[in-house]
Amino acid sequence: MRHCSVQVRGLLTREELDRYNGLIEAGSYLEDQGRYDLAYIVQKEIDILILPAIERLKDKGRARDRATAEYLEGLREGKEVDGEDPSA
């Protein structure tokens, strides 16, 4: 079974995380039994389950990018207004 990243797991709700852990356990059992056909179906369910957490991670990245852009814009505007280096 393929695990999702630690960042994505950290953004799963408690209910999603419980379901994720159960599906991983069931899929690992199926792989141990050689039932790769069924393990594939479980993996597809895991992939669907983690989609909301992936979107939450993307949203956090976009928010961080916006904050960085605003900060850099503020530095640039501060430099133009004061005529000196704001990092000094």
Side-chain angles (χ1 to χ4, degrees):
M1 299 302 310
R2 289 186 331 264
H3 286 275
C4 64
S5 70
V6 173
Q7 293 89 349
V8 171
R9 264 187 302 220
L11 294 175
L12 291 171
T13 64
R14 173 49 53 193
E15 183 180 309
E16 290 169 339
L17 185 59
D18 290 343
R19 186 159 184 242
Y20 171 84
N21 288 332
L23 287 170
I24 286 289
E25 189 174 332
S28 295
Y29 174 79
L30 290 169
E31 284 181 341
D32 289 345
Q33 299 301 311
R35 296 301 309 265
Y36 298 103
D37 56 333
L38 295 176
Y40 173 78
I41 295 169
V42 173
Q43 183 65 57
K44 295 307 257 179
E45 285 298 312
I46 291 170
D47 293 344
I48 293 168
L49 174 67
I50 64 173
L51 286 176
I54 291 171
E55 284 305 313
R56 289 190 285 271
L57 184 62
K58 287 179 182 178
D59 289 342
K60 283 180 68 173
R62 287 184 201 110
R64 185 185 60 242
D65 291 346
R66 275 192 303 276
T68 300
E70 290 170 4
Y71 173 76
L72 293 174
E73 183 66 24
L75 287 179
R76 190 172 62 81
E77 289 174 358
K79 185 175 183 179
E80 290 174 2
V81 170
D82 297 338
E84 61 186 31
D85 187 5
S87 62

